Amino acid sequence: MALVVVSSRAIALRTLGQLEAALGPGSSHPERSVAFHARTHLTLRRFFRFAPAHFLGALRIVVSFLVPVLSLLPFGPSGVRHWLARNSLFTAQTLMLAAAARGLDTCPMEGFDAMKVSRVLGLPCGSVVPVVIAVGHQSASARVEPRLRRSLAEAVVVH
């Protein structure tokens, strides 16, 4: 069994190096695609330089009273942390699906002390740890109870 700690931070400086390595000279990507990704990365780096500002968090709260969906925008320290956590969970979901495709079982866990996990692993300040995933093979003596699921008709509304 292994424990996978899912963690993220606002756009890291090394991401630009990864982007250049993947899309730089000698890559098979079209020049237009490389330019698009480079511009997008630069825009995100500029955005995340100011997004955690406290006054933007207060502004987000005020504006979200008028337009509730804007409460999900990554403005202010808590907004950026929530955005990072949500996006990290997409990675966790993909990891769990990939493990299942290879015949492994997974179990996502929350409720742990994220600060202690970060400290033990030596994660940089500002890291967000939304989930830890146990990955392994199910024990022969595991007690697996039947799952209670809603029918598709109950869970999905077609318009």
Side-chain angles (χ1 to χ4, degrees), residues 83-138:
W83 182 84
L84 289 169
R86 283 194 311 270
N87 281 278
S88 296
L89 291 172
F90 299 141
T91 302
Q93 176 187 14
T94 302
L95 179 132
M96 292 171 67
L97 289 169
R102 290 183 166 42
L104 295 168
D105 294 302
T106 59
C107 181
M109 297 175 274
E110 64 174 1
F112 51 86
D113 188 333
M115 292 294 284
K116 284 184 182 176
V117 171
S118 294
R119 209 172 308 122
V120 166
L121 295 177
L123 297 176
C125 183
S127 295
V128 176
V129 181
V131 67
V132 174
I133 304 170
V135 181
H137 293 284
Q138 186 179 63

Side-chain angles (χ1 to χ4, degrees), residues 35-121:
F36 168 79
H37 289 294
R39 280 192 315 274
T40 302
H41 178 78
L42 186 60
T43 300
L44 284 173
R45 282 188 55 183
R46 287 178 181 156
F47 174 78
F48 279 109
R49 190 174 301 143
F50 301 103
H54 289 282
F55 78 91
L56 288 176
L59 181 63
R60 177 181 50 89
I61 291 168
V62 171
V63 172
S64 67
F65 279 115
L66 302 172
V67 185
V69 74
L70 295 181
S71 67
L72 296 174
L73 292 176
F75 291 116
S78 67
V80 169
R81 291 185 65 76
H82 289 145
W83 182 84
L84 289 169
R86 283 194 311 270
N87 281 278
S88 296
L89 291 172
F90 299 141
T91 302
Q93 176 187 14
T94 302
L95 179 132
M96 292 171 67
L97 289 169
R102 290 183 166 42
L104 295 168
D105 294 302
T106 59
C107 181
M109 297 175 274
E110 64 174 1
F112 51 86
D113 188 333
M115 292 294 284
K116 284 184 182 176
V117 171
S118 294
R119 209 172 308 122
V120 166
L121 295 177

